[in-house]
Amino acid sequence: MGAILADIALVVLPVFGVVAMGFVSAKTRLISDKASDGLAEYVFGLAVPILIFKTLSESRLPEAQPWGYWIAYFTGAFAVFGIAMVLAIKVFHRSRTEAVVHGFSAGQANTVFLGVPLILKAYGEEGAVPLFLLIAIHLPVMLVAATVLVEGSAGLSLATARKLFRTLALNPILLGIYAGGIAKLLGVQAAGVPKQILDLISASASPCALISLGLALNRYGMSGDLKATAIISALKLIVHPALVLLLTLLLPMPPVWAGVAVLFAAMPCGINAYLLAQRYGAGVQTSASAVSLSTALGLVTIAFWLYILGVG
């Protein structure tokens, strides 16, 4: 037991330790808000897309898609999405739009800034393909669902549909996935100096993402309705991965893919929930608090799920 816990600590503590360094750096003004924005743009716009491109172009993709993997993850995601919406309306008496923000917060995982570094550390290269394939589908599916739910009552306009399509089509993460998939199909791989450049940038993705997350946590802080925040965090950190774990035991998929699905579900609330709340002007404080609280609690809950999965 002691050896297992020590192994799990070696996976979790370095990751959250770097996040803590980012948080302390922002708190002590060692790094400014301006630098925080720039680092986040670098991670999201360049480092992680190149890491994804490099991984997909060099990896061996599965000959057949394990559909159980997709069903398990998204069944859990939409279950907690729905539960959070119902609780927001029935228990907290929130508007439809704010209820959607609650649901999106519970179902949208922090994939780029925490999921990529932590899952790659837990599963290595073997977990990279299922991780990045899920990232490719995760954001578009959840964002489209949230937008339709918010806009649907008034009729989804053509302008909104165009804006959503443009947002997804030009998303740097998705562009990295498209480019990596095309390179893999064409059998194109970087070599020589170009490969060294890609290697250097992709190596910076994980540490920069973690520092950026720490800086963001200092900015968002904790405010708003803590009861709603706690429920959203519980749905994200406990209920979502528990549902996915149950379904991975019932549906066929490779063991590593099952582990990636559970860990992906166990990630804290994603910053995209806060951005969605800002866009619609509803649930901003609650979504920001959910990001902060779920990330802080994630140190313990992710260690628990790693133990359940036998990773370490």
Side-chain angles (χ1 to χ4, degrees):
M1 174 69 77
I4 294 174
L5 293 178
D7 289 340
I8 291 173
L10 288 176
V11 174
V12 175
L13 292 181
V15 171
F16 279 89
V18 178
V19 174
M21 288 188 67
F23 180 82
V24 172
S25 296
K27 184 66 70 177
T28 58
R29 300 186 183 279
L30 185 63
I31 299 179
S32 67
D33 279 345
K34 185 183 295 185
S36 172
D37 291 336
L39 184 59
E41 286 184 19
Y42 167 73
V43 169
F44 190 79
L46 186 63
V48 170
I50 285 180
L51 172 61
I52 292 173
F53 167 79
K54 180 176 176 296
T55 300
L56 293 182
S57 64
E58 296 176 355
S59 297
R60 181 179 178 181
L61 300 178
E63 296 179 1
Q65 286 294 325
W67 289 104
Y69 177 69
W70 306 108
I71 295 171
Y73 181 82
F74 283 107
T75 298
F78 282 112
V80 294
F81 196 128
I83 293 170
M85 279 191 67
V86 170
L87 291 175
I89 293 171
K90 300 295 185 181
V91 176
F92 299 108
H93 308 293
R94 304 297 167 85
S95 67
R96 177 188 174 90
T97 299
E98 194 164 353
V100 173
V101 171
H102 282 219
F104 190 78
S105 299
Q108 170 74 20
N110 188 336
T111 56
V112 173
F113 294 98
L114 188 58
V116 169
L118 202 148
I119 293 175
L120 289 182
K121 185 168 180 60
Y123 285 105
E125 293 184 5
E126 195 175 0
V129 170
L131 168 62
F132 292 135
L133 288 178
L134 185 50
I135 286 177
I137 305 297
H138 179 248
L139 177 60
V141 169
M142 301 304 289
L143 190 56
V144 168
T147 302
V148 170
L149 285 170
V150 172
E151 304 279 354
S153 58
L156 186 62
S157 67
L158 182 60
T160 300
R162 284 176 177 171
K163 184 176 181 181
L164 179 60
F165 175 78
R166 189 162 53 249
T167 298
L168 295 176
L170 300 178
N171 184 292
I173 302 296
L174 298 182
L175 289 175
I177 291 166
Y178 304 149
I182 292 171
K184 181 63 179 178
L185 290 174
L186 297 177
V188 176
Q189 289 189 16
V193 173
K195 175 173 171 53
Q196 293 182 44
I197 293 173
L198 294 180
D199 287 346
L200 286 170
I201 295 175
S202 61
S204 73
S206 290
C208 287
L210 295 172
I211 291 289
S212 181
L213 177 59
L215 300 176
L217 292 178
N218 176 67
R219 172 182 293 179
Y220 299 144
M222 290 288 297
S223 60
D225 189 338
L226 293 183
K227 289 184 179 179
T229 298
I231 288 177
I232 291 171
S233 298
L235 287 170
K236 187 72 208 68
L237 298 173
I238 300 172
V239 178
H240 188 184
L243 290 173
V244 174
L245 176 62
L246 176 62
L247 290 169
T248 60
L249 298 175
L250 300 175
L251 299 170
M253 71 191 76
V256 170
W257 288 57
V260 169
V262 174
L263 273 188
F264 200 103
M267 291 300 108
C269 304
I271 293 175
N272 278 314
Y274 171 75
L275 299 178
L276 182 78
Q278 278 195 318
R279 175 182 170 188
Y280 288 109
V284 175
Q285 290 185 332
T286 301
S287 61
S289 295
V291 171
S292 298
L293 179 61
S294 63
T295 302
L297 296 176
L299 174 61
V300 175
T301 57
I302 291 171
F304 168 77
W305 290 113
L306 286 168
Y307 175 76
I308 294 296
L309 293 169
V311 177

